[in-house]
Amino acid sequence: MATEKESLPQARIDVRDVTKRYGSTVAVNQLTFQVEPGRVTGFLGPNGAGKTTTMRMMLGLDRPSDGEVLINGRPYARIEEPLRHVGALLDPAAVHPGRRARDQLLVLARSNRIPDVRVDEMLDRVGLSSVTKRRIGGFSLGMRQRLGLAAALLGDPQVLILDEPLNGLDPEGIQWIRKLLRELAEDGRVVLASSHLMNEMAVTADHLVIIGRGRLLADVSMTEFSARYGRGRVRLRTTRPERLGKALAAEGLTLTAMNGGMWEVPEAQPDHIGAVAAREGVPLQELELYRDSLEEAFLRMTARSAEFTAAAGREALI
Ligand code: ADP
């Protein structure tokens, strides 16, 4: 465990042995992890894994059945003028449709002693300065996401908690938000962004916290994730597959036929296969290493938990 710095709490989020039950549904199950400043942390899991519930508990919108969630060393409810410390994007649909974009932010700013000028700065930063007087009801999902981000950034907070921030954005918007998240992290902020899509996070996050059925599955850097979970396999072409197959079997490896005359050896390295082939005098026409895509690795990791949460989701509807 990291040492506590009670006197000068560094920006961070601590989820400590948290469980959240809704009736018989266990949405979050003995979950423990920390979110550190200075990097973008992707909070990944299939739908129903417990990401939103966890984020709601970080923001004091839901209370843990067990355990505690601390932001900068204290529960959210004990943070004064919270917008100055924590910015959140939860449900971009949950805004007053009749309100104008700028007015929406002014209400938030004034209740947290944030100067009005900051509202215009943030609308500009998220690319909404031309629509500040338009009613939010007419906004696209992407525009609502941008407005939600402007709200999250209003108080210049050290901690950002963003639920599916890439949702509803077009490719240009996605590029833009990636750059924004990176800049916020480089400033030394805590940036936690959830997603149910690995490919979204692969180019956005530096670190991953992966959950399934409310439990922690992995807490790793992006680099570590691809090295550890992106299983390698060797694909090759040869005129003497029987001989090579026998020699590989003696080394505990399996040669399997693929389409188009290709052969595959799971969980192997090309150097090793090349050496065996050379020793046996087996000619190789092709020899290549393939890695599972990060999405494949993520799906494999969460496959069992997805089945469980689908069932849990049905229970929750009763
Ligand atoms: P995610 O954000 O990863 O998609 P959620 O946190 O929304 O997952 O949901 C986790 C589980 O908790 C799901 O099974 C969901 O149906 C259930 N759940 C979430 N909120 C409630 C609630 N207010 N009442 C009952 N069940 C809930």
Side-chain angles (χ1 to χ4, degrees), residues 49-308:
K51 303 180 297 293
T52 303
T53 304
T54 305
M55 289 180 145
R56 287 178 57 82
M57 289 190 285
M58 289 173 181
L59 297 163
L61 297 168
D62 260 328
R63 191 176 294 184
S65 310
D66 233 320
E68 60 179 358
V69 185
L70 304 179
I71 295 192
N72 301 348
R74 64 181 71 172
Y76 186 89
R78 289 197 14 231
I79 303 174
E80 275 172 40
E81 295 175 333
L83 283 200
R84 290 171 171 273
H85 302 276
V86 188
L89 176 73
L90 271 191
D91 183 359
V95 286
H96 198 303
R99 207 173 260 170
R100 295 172 206 279
R102 186 166 184 271
D103 295 340
Q104 166 81 8
L105 295 191
L106 280 177
V107 171
L108 286 175
R110 288 178 185 165
S111 60
N112 281 264
R113 290 195 307 121
I114 295 164
D116 289 2
V117 61
R118 179 86 187 157
V119 166
D120 298 309
E121 282 169 13
M122 287 308 102
L123 284 167
D124 194 34
R125 179 149 194 201
V126 301
L128 290 179
S129 41
S130 62
V131 294
T132 57
K133 297 210 168 68
R134 294 236 312 252
R135 292 186 199 279
I136 303 166
F139 277 21
S140 67
L141 180 56
M143 287 163 83
R144 285 173 194 228
Q145 290 285 58
R146 286 172 187 256
L147 183 63
L149 273 165
L153 295 172
L154 261 188
D156 196 18
Q158 279 300 302
V159 176
L160 286 149
I161 297 172
L162 313 170
D163 197 7
E164 299 271 356
L166 277 63
N167 212 8
L169 294 176
D170 55 18
E172 191 198 335
I174 290 175
Q175 292 263 9
W176 166 78
I177 204 168
R178 281 194 176 129
K179 192 161 159 277
L180 177 70
L181 297 186
R182 182 135 319 280
E183 284 167 9
L184 293 166
E186 279 166 8
D187 285 351
R189 291 171 221 266
V190 171
V191 181
L192 181 68
S194 76
S195 175
H196 62 286
L197 298 171
M198 179 70 191
N199 287 345
E200 261 185 15
M201 280 299 130
V203 275
T204 310
D206 310 299
H207 195 87
L208 294 174
V209 171
I210 306 180
I211 64 169
R213 55 199 260 195
R215 283 184 182 274
L216 187 73
L217 298 178
D219 183 350
V220 289
S221 70
M222 198 63 235
T223 332
E224 206 179 325
F225 180 84
S226 38
R228 201 182 321 159
Y229 299 101
R231 244 183 350 206
R233 51 211 144 95
V234 173
R235 291 213 178 138
L236 58 89
R237 194 185 292 280
T238 178
T239 44
R240 302 196 56 197
E242 301 79 15
R243 174 143 195 164
L244 182 62
K246 257 187 212 154
L248 289 175
E251 311 228 351
L253 294 169
T254 316
L255 185 68
T256 315
M258 306 287 291
N259 290 334
M262 293 296 288
W263 295 81
E264 190 174 276
V265 190
E267 300 194 42
Q269 290 301 318
D271 292 1
H272 185 194
I273 308 296
V276 173
R279 192 186 68 213
E280 300 291 320
V282 170
L284 294 176
Q285 284 78 45
E286 276 180 51
L287 182 69
E288 243 183 309
L289 174 68
Y290 276 77
R291 277 200 177 278
D292 280 0
S293 72
L294 296 177
E295 191 73 30
E296 284 169 317
F298 169 61
L299 289 175
R300 204 171 51 232
M301 177 183 275
T302 56
R304 283 186 51 230
S305 61
E307 285 163 29
F308 176 91

